[in-house]
Amino acid sequence: MAEVEKARGPYKHTALGEAVAVAALTDDVPWMEACAAEAVENRERLRGALKALGLEPLPSEGNFLLVPVPEARWVGEALRERNVNVRVFEGLTGVGDALRIGCGPWPMMASALKALKEVL
């Protein structure tokens, strides 16, 4: 089983989950487009809020921002203590330490920003 799990990769899904995703992408295109537009809007709003904190997020077309932050490991741990989960990267070539902050619904992002302000 361990070898099968390795082959499945990090994004495990079921046949039902796949069918629901395909239906969402094909049967309700206006809903899917609205969700994508909201994700882009929230990412850019998050970018502006991070810049207001003196941070410089790297360019992104995804649903996350990579933000260079000194002592990212410590900042990430302090955020987790406040129920905010980010991915920590240390010593990235050309970037240094950074946090990968996923973008979600704005109330969740507002909570994450509040915690980040407390930590910084």
Side-chain angles (χ1 to χ4, degrees), residues 59-79:
S60 175
E61 295 295 321
N63 65 341
F64 65 90
L65 292 172
L66 187 66
V67 186
V69 175
E71 300 183 45
R73 177 175 296 278
W74 179 86
V75 173
E77 289 172 5
L79 288 172

Side-chain angles (χ1 to χ4, degrees), residues 2-20:
E3 295 305 311
V4 170
E5 284 299 309
K6 286 181 193 174
R8 288 180 61 197
Y11 304 108
K12 297 158 182 62
H13 58 276
T14 65
L16 177 59
E18 184 176 338
V20 169

Side-chain angles (χ1 to χ4, degrees), residues 20-112:
V20 169
V22 168
L25 294 172
T26 58
D27 295 346
D28 197 351
V29 173
W31 173 83
M32 186 261 314
E33 289 173 340
C35 289
E38 180 182 6
V40 170
E41 179 183 325
N42 287 345
R43 183 192 66 219
E44 295 310 311
R45 190 173 173 189
L46 178 62
R47 179 188 312 281
L50 292 168
K51 286 186 171 197
L53 292 176
L55 301 171
E56 286 297 325
L58 299 179
S60 175
E61 295 295 321
N63 65 341
F64 65 90
L65 292 172
L66 187 66
V67 186
V69 175
E71 300 183 45
R73 177 175 296 278
W74 179 86
V75 173
E77 289 172 5
L79 288 172
R80 277 189 279 286
E81 290 171 2
R82 290 163 174 79
N83 297 314
V84 175
N85 193 18
V86 296
R87 279 191 71 189
V88 174
F89 292 90
E90 294 182 280
L92 292 174
T93 302
V95 176
D97 288 0
L99 300 175
R100 181 192 184 276
I101 303 174
C103 298
W106 188 252
M108 184 175 15
M109 298 291 80
S111 295

